[in-house]
């Protein structure tokens, strides 16, 4: 299979340190046509953009993930002392780089004990930034549907609700508003009935595929380190639900991803070297 576009990856993660270059070089031969590498704070933003400069099929999303508010080794805490406003201001030069095509990974997370008010303010500030720059977003929503949806209703961004876990009913209005929904390995797991309902309810033009690698590997490779080539397994499962050949699923979702992010039509973005001015 080919024409795989992974709309949410983390190849800058330490799990890829041992063989990152070899793996990235192998992805096109495995059918991968595009990858959106998502940063989670200023510390990995430079690495994400560097990957986009090195590999023509990679683009970058830059943002501050809500979990960075509670991770002691994340620059949000370790460098900025929790002052995400200062960190976000220091990250502005990244958005001048043509390789950066989205604001992400941003959003809300109520699974972990993170400061709720700070999360909301950080998410809203980054939605405002995306509106100002006219960029799509890559949104993280973990056990925070009500608050996430309220802000999405207010700001009406374009982009992807990554690893969609909400209801079919909410999926319909999100799609009508212009958000795409990301599906990955979880859609292949036994008991993934909610994902099946969502995939049956929404327009197929609203569906994109992703890995969240190195996490969330699909069946039959669940439990292993994930990479973009495994999206082929997700396409097989969605093809079963849609009565469609897996390659058709890949072609359709790749077209959706290209439309949402305005990327991967060919060519390499001009290379610049952004910097973050840490305090």
């Amino acid at each position: 299979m080919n024409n795989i576009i992974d709309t949410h990856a983390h190849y800058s993660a330490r799990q890829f340190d041992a063989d990152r270059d070899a793996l990235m070089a192998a992805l096109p031969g495995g059918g991968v046509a595009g990858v959106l590498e998502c940063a989670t704070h200023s510390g990995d933003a430079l690495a994400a953009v560097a990957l986009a400069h090195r590999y023509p099929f990679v683009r970058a999303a830059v943002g501050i993930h809500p979990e960075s508010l509670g991770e002691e080794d994340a620059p949000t805490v370790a460098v900025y002392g929790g002052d995400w406003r200062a960190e976000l201001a220091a990250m502005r030069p990244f958005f001048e780089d043509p390789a950066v095509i989205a604001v992400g990974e941003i959003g809300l997370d109520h699974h972990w004990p993170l400061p709720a008010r700070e999360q909301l303010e950080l998410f809203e500030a980054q939605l405002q930034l995306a509106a100002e720059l006219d960029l799509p977003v890559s949104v993280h929503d973990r056990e925070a549907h009500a608050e996430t949806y309220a802000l999405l209703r207010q700001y009406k961004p374009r982009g992807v609700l990554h690893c969609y876990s909400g209801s079919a009913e909410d999926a319909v209005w999100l799609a009508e508003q212009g958000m795409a929904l990301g599906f990955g390995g979880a859609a292949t797991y036994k008991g993934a009935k909610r994902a099946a309902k969502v995939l049956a309810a929404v327009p197929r033009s609203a569906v994109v595929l992703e890995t969240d690698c190195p996490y969330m590997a699909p069946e039959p490779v669940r439990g292993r380190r994930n990479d973009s080539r495994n999206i082929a397994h997700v396409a097989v499962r969605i093809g079963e639900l849609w009565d469609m050949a897996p390659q058709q699923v890949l072609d359709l979702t790749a077209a959706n991803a290209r439309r949402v992010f305005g990327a991967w039509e060919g060519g390499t973005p001009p290379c610049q070297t952004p910097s973050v001015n840490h305090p």
Side-chain angles (χ1 to χ4, degrees):
M1 284 181 267
N2 55 57
N3 206 16
I4 294 170
I5 292 187
D6 184 351
T7 60
H8 198 102
H10 297 287
Y11 285 107
S12 301
R14 59 177 175 77
Q15 289 90 336
F16 295 107
D17 285 352
D19 62 344
R20 182 178 293 106
D21 289 340
L23 174 59
M24 298 302 294
L27 292 181
V32 178
V35 170
L36 183 64
E37 174 71 8
C38 296
T40 59
H41 47 59
S42 60
D44 61 9
L46 186 60
V49 176
L51 283 175
H53 287 167
R54 185 166 187 175
Y55 299 99
F57 59 93
V58 178
R59 298 293 186 270
V62 171
I64 303 175
H65 191 292
E67 288 182 23
S68 296
L69 293 169
E71 295 177 347
E72 292 184 359
D73 58 346
T76 315
V77 176
V79 177
Y80 292 92
D83 186 357
W84 58 263
R85 293 172 179 83
E87 182 179 22
L88 192 60
M91 293 169 70
R92 286 294 294 251
F94 283 111
F95 295 101
E96 300 172 7
D97 192 309
V100 177
I101 63 168
V103 179
E105 179 179 0
I106 65 175
L108 299 174
D109 192 311
H110 291 338
H111 179 77
W112 302 108
L114 300 167
R117 180 176 177 180
E118 287 294 292
Q119 284 193 68
L120 277 169
E121 292 177 351
L122 171 60
F123 185 27
E124 185 167 18
Q126 292 182 102
L127 288 173
Q128 292 170 347
L129 177 63
E132 174 192 340
L133 300 176
D134 191 25
L135 288 175
V137 294
S138 182
V139 176
H140 173 98
D141 166 22
R142 190 173 187 187
E143 299 175 18
H145 297 331
E147 296 92 338
T148 300
Y149 296 164
L151 284 173
L152 294 180
R153 283 186 187 275
Q154 178 179 349
Y155 286 94
K156 296 180 172 57
R158 71 185 194 278
V160 176
L161 195 49
H162 146 65
C163 196
Y164 183 73
S165 60
S167 69
E169 292 77 15
D170 285 323
V172 170
W173 72 258
L174 284 161
E176 289 176 348
Q177 185 172 283
M179 286 293 287
L181 309 174
F183 292 89
T188 71
Y189 300 162
K190 294 179 180 178
K193 296 179 181 179
R194 174 169 287 193
K197 290 180 179 178
V198 172
L199 287 161
V202 299
R204 294 176 183 180
S205 59
V207 175
V208 296
L209 304 185
E210 62 176 47
T211 55
D212 200 23
C213 67
Y215 314 107
M216 305 282 289
E219 303 288 357
V221 293
R222 188 174 183 180
R224 304 179 198 174
R225 186 184 71 175
N226 201 8
D227 71 59
S228 303
R229 295 169 294 187
N230 290 328
I231 283 177
H233 297 295
V234 182
V236 169
R237 175 57 182 149
I238 293 178
E240 293 171 351
L241 296 170
W242 284 353
D243 192 23
M244 181 182 288
Q247 186 60 56
Q248 289 180 289
V249 174
L250 292 175
D251 291 340
L252 186 155
T253 54
N256 295 343
R258 290 183 171 101
R259 183 187 69 254
V260 170
F261 290 106
W264 303 295
E265 296 293 351
T268 307
C271 182
Q272 299 180 17
T273 305
S275 61
V276 177
N277 297 316
H278 288 308

